[in-house]
PDB file of all heavy atoms in Angstrom:
ATOM      1  N   THR A 104     -23.361  15.221-101.463  1.00  0.00           N
ATOM      2  CA  THR A 104     -24.213  16.192-100.789  1.00  0.00           C
ATOM      3  C   THR A 104     -25.630  16.134-101.340  1.00  0.00           C
ATOM      4  O   THR A 104     -25.849  16.250-102.549  1.00  0.00           O
ATOM      5  CB  THR A 104     -23.651  17.617-100.967  1.00  0.00           C
ATOM      6  OG1 THR A 104     -22.388  17.703-100.301  1.00  0.00           O
ATOM      7  CG2 THR A 104     -24.609  18.651-100.382  1.00  0.00           C
ATOM      8  N   ALA A 105     -26.596  15.912-100.453  1.00  0.00           N
ATOM      9  CA  ALA A 105     -28.004  15.782-100.862  1.00  0.00           C
ATOM     10  C   ALA A 105     -28.864  15.573 -99.631  1.00  0.00           C
ATOM     11  O   ALA A 105     -28.349  15.351 -98.531  1.00  0.00           O
ATOM     12  CB  ALA A 105     -28.182  14.597-101.809  1.00  0.00           C
ATOM     13  N   MET A 106     -30.170  15.633 -99.850  1.00  0.00           N
ATOM     14  CA  MET A 106     -31.122  15.181 -98.840  1.00  0.00           C
ATOM     15  C   MET A 106     -31.272  13.678 -99.053  1.00  0.00           C
ATOM     16  O   MET A 106     -31.530  13.240-100.175  1.00  0.00           O
ATOM     17  CB  MET A 106     -32.460  15.889 -99.003  1.00  0.00           C
ATOM     18  CG  MET A 106     -33.453  15.551 -97.913  1.00  0.00           C
ATOM     19  SD  MET A 106     -33.032  16.306 -96.344  1.00  0.00           S
ATOM     20  CE  MET A 106     -33.603  17.983 -96.648  1.00  0.00           C
ATOM     21  N   TYR A 107     -31.123  12.921 -97.977  1.00  0.00           N
ATOM     22  CA  TYR A 107     -31.220  11.469 -98.058  1.00  0.00           C
ATOM     23  C   TYR A 107     -32.545  11.013 -97.464  1.00  0.00           C
ATOM     24  O   TYR A 107     -32.914  11.417 -96.353  1.00  0.00           O
ATOM     25  CB  TYR A 107     -30.054  10.826 -97.312  1.00  0.00           C
ATOM     26  CG  TYR A 107     -28.768  10.851 -98.103  1.00  0.00           C
ATOM     27  CD1 TYR A 107     -28.099  12.041 -98.321  1.00  0.00           C
ATOM     28  CD2 TYR A 107     -28.247   9.695 -98.673  1.00  0.00           C
ATOM     29  CE1 TYR A 107     -26.931  12.085 -99.074  1.00  0.00           C
ATOM     30  CE2 TYR A 107     -27.075   9.715 -99.417  1.00  0.00           C
ATOM     31  CZ  TYR A 107     -26.424  10.929 -99.617  1.00  0.00           C
ATOM     32  OH  TYR A 107     -25.269  10.955-100.362  1.00  0.00           O
ATOM     33  N   TYR A 108     -33.234  10.158 -98.223  1.00  0.00           N
ATOM     34  CA  TYR A 108     -34.542   9.657 -97.824  1.00  0.00           C
ATOM     35  C   TYR A 108     -34.511   8.135 -97.731  1.00  0.00           C
ATOM     36  O   TYR A 108     -33.907   7.476 -98.572  1.00  0.00           O
ATOM     37  CB  TYR A 108     -35.602  10.029 -98.858  1.00  0.00           C
ATOM     38  CG  TYR A 108     -35.787  11.500 -99.081  1.00  0.00           C
ATOM     39  CD1 TYR A 108     -35.044  12.180-100.039  1.00  0.00           C
ATOM     40  CD2 TYR A 108     -36.720  12.229 -98.349  1.00  0.00           C
ATOM     41  CE1 TYR A 108     -35.204  13.530-100.262  1.00  0.00           C
ATOM     42  CE2 TYR A 108     -36.909  13.583 -98.556  1.00  0.00           C
ATOM     43  CZ  TYR A 108     -36.138  14.229 -99.514  1.00  0.00           C
ATOM     44  OH  TYR A 108     -36.309  15.561 -99.722  1.00  0.00           O
ATOM     45  N   CYS A 109     -35.203   7.604 -96.747  1.00  0.00           N
ATOM     46  CA  CYS A 109     -35.436   6.169 -96.733  1.00  0.00           C
ATOM     47  C   CYS A 109     -36.871   5.911 -97.182  1.00  0.00           C
ATOM     48  O   CYS A 109     -37.739   6.781 -97.077  1.00  0.00           O
ATOM     49  CB  CYS A 109     -35.164   5.557 -95.370  1.00  0.00           C
ATOM     50  SG  CYS A 109     -36.326   5.996 -94.075  1.00  0.00           S
ATOM     51  N   ALA A 110     -37.079   4.713 -97.707  1.00  0.00           N
ATOM     52  CA  ALA A 110     -38.382   4.354 -98.234  1.00  0.00           C
ATOM     53  C   ALA A 110     -38.588   2.862 -98.080  1.00  0.00           C
ATOM     54  O   ALA A 110     -37.627   2.097 -97.979  1.00  0.00           O
ATOM     55  CB  ALA A 110     -38.494   4.759 -99.702  1.00  0.00           C
ATOM     56  N   THR A 111     -39.846   2.460 -98.117  1.00  0.00           N
ATOM     57  CA  THR A 111     -40.146   1.050 -97.991  1.00  0.00           C
ATOM     58  C   THR A 111     -41.347   0.687 -98.846  1.00  0.00           C
ATOM     59  O   THR A 111     -42.138   1.556 -99.217  1.00  0.00           O
ATOM     60  CB  THR A 111     -40.401   0.657 -96.530  1.00  0.00           C
ATOM     61  OG1 THR A 111     -40.457  -0.770 -96.418  1.00  0.00           O
ATOM     62  CG2 THR A 111     -41.710   1.251 -96.003  1.00  0.00           C
ATOM     63  N   GLY A 112     -41.473  -0.594 -99.153  1.00  0.00           N
ATOM     64  CA  GLY A 112     -42.592  -1.042 -99.969  1.00  0.00           C
ATOM     65  C   GLY A 112     -42.851  -2.511 -99.733  1.00  0.00           C
ATOM     66  O   GLY A 112     -42.042  -3.215 -99.127  1.00  0.00           O
ATOM     67  N   SER A 113     -43.990  -2.976-100.250  1.00  0.00           N
ATOM     68  CA  SER A 113     -44.390  -4.365-100.055  1.00  0.00           C
ATOM     69  C   SER A 113     -44.291  -5.197-101.318  1.00  0.00           C
ATOM     70  O   SER A 113     -44.534  -6.401-101.284  1.00  0.00           O
ATOM     71  CB  SER A 113     -45.824  -4.420 -99.522  1.00  0.00           C
ATOM     72  OG  SER A 113     -46.693  -3.770-100.427  1.00  0.00           O
ATOM     73  N   SER A 114     -43.936  -4.574-102.438  1.00  0.00           N
ATOM     74  CA  SER A 114     -43.869  -5.326-103.691  1.00  0.00           C
ATOM     75  C   SER A 114     -42.550  -5.084-104.419  1.00  0.00           C
ATOM     76  O   SER A 114     -42.508  -5.033-105.643  1.00  0.00           O
ATOM     77  CB  SER A 114     -45.040  -4.933-104.593  1.00  0.00           C
ATOM     78  OG  SER A 114     -45.042  -3.538-104.812  1.00  0.00           O
ATOM     79  N   LEU A 115     -41.494  -4.956-103.650  1.00  0.00           N
ATOM     80  CA  LEU A 115     -40.184  -4.725-104.254  1.00  0.00           C
ATOM     81  C   LEU A 115     -39.626  -6.028-104.810  1.00  0.00           C
ATOM     82  O   LEU A 115     -39.905  -7.106-104.294  1.00  0.00           O
ATOM     83  CB  LEU A 115     -39.230  -4.155-103.209  1.00  0.00           C
ATOM     84  CG  LEU A 115     -39.699  -2.908-102.472  1.00  0.00           C
ATOM     85  CD1 LEU A 115     -38.666  -2.461-101.460  1.00  0.00           C
ATOM     86  CD2 LEU A 115     -39.998  -1.795-103.453  1.00  0.00           C
ATOM     87  N   SER A 116     -38.819  -5.923-105.851  1.00  0.00           N
ATOM     88  CA  SER A 116     -38.169  -7.099-106.422  1.00  0.00           C
ATOM     89  C   SER A 116     -36.755  -6.724-106.836  1.00  0.00           C
ATOM     90  O   SER A 116     -36.389  -5.546-106.829  1.00  0.00           O
ATOM     91  CB  SER A 116     -38.959  -7.609-107.636  1.00  0.00           C
ATOM     92  OG  SER A 116     -38.874  -6.680-108.700  1.00  0.00           O
ATOM     93  N   ILE A 117     -35.997  -7.727-107.212  1.00  0.00           N
ATOM     94  CA  ILE A 117     -34.607  -7.493-107.595  1.00  0.00           C
ATOM     95  C   ILE A 117     -34.529  -6.481-108.726  1.00  0.00           C
ATOM     96  O   ILE A 117     -33.644  -5.623-108.758  1.00  0.00           O
ATOM     97  CB  ILE A 117     -33.946  -8.818-108.011  1.00  0.00           C
ATOM     98  CG1 ILE A 117     -33.842  -9.756-106.817  1.00  0.00           C
ATOM     99  CG2 ILE A 117     -32.575  -8.558-108.609  1.00  0.00           C
ATOM    100  CD1 ILE A 117     -33.322 -11.129-107.161  1.00  0.00           C
ATOM    101  N   THR A 118     -35.477  -6.556-109.638  1.00  0.00           N
ATOM    102  CA  THR A 118     -35.422  -5.684-110.816  1.00  0.00           C
ATOM    103  C   THR A 118     -36.023  -4.312-110.580  1.00  0.00           C
ATOM    104  O   THR A 118     -35.872  -3.426-111.412  1.00  0.00           O
ATOM    105  CB  THR A 118     -36.143  -6.341-112.006  1.00  0.00           C
ATOM    106  OG1 THR A 118     -37.493  -6.600-111.630  1.00  0.00           O
ATOM    107  CG2 THR A 118     -35.470  -7.645-112.399  1.00  0.00           C
ATOM    108  N   THR A 119     -36.708  -4.117-109.469  1.00  0.00           N
ATOM    109  CA  THR A 119     -37.402  -2.838-109.254  1.00  0.00           C
ATOM    110  C   THR A 119     -36.896  -2.053-108.063  1.00  0.00           C
ATOM    111  O   THR A 119     -37.342  -0.924-107.849  1.00  0.00           O
ATOM    112  CB  THR A 119     -38.912  -3.062-109.072  1.00  0.00           C
ATOM    113  OG1 THR A 119     -39.130  -3.805-107.861  1.00  0.00           O
ATOM    114  CG2 THR A 119     -39.506  -3.794-110.248  1.00  0.00           C
ATOM    115  N   MET A 120     -35.991  -2.594-107.283  1.00  0.00           N
ATOM    116  CA  MET A 120     -35.626  -1.931-106.024  1.00  0.00           C
ATOM    117  C   MET A 120     -34.956  -0.585-106.232  1.00  0.00           C
ATOM    118  O   MET A 120     -34.910   0.220-105.313  1.00  0.00           O
ATOM    119  CB  MET A 120     -34.732  -2.839-105.174  1.00  0.00           C
ATOM    120  CG  MET A 120     -35.466  -4.062-104.670  1.00  0.00           C
ATOM    121  SD  MET A 120     -34.609  -4.967-103.396  1.00  0.00           S
ATOM    122  CE  MET A 120     -35.016  -3.984-101.966  1.00  0.00           C
TER     123      MET A 120
END
Side-chain angles (χ1 to χ4, degrees):
T104 295
M106 185 73 78
Y107 282 70
Y108 300 90
C109 69
T111 190
S113 58
S114 56
L115 306 179
S116 68
I117 294 175
T118 58
T119 65
M120 293 193 81

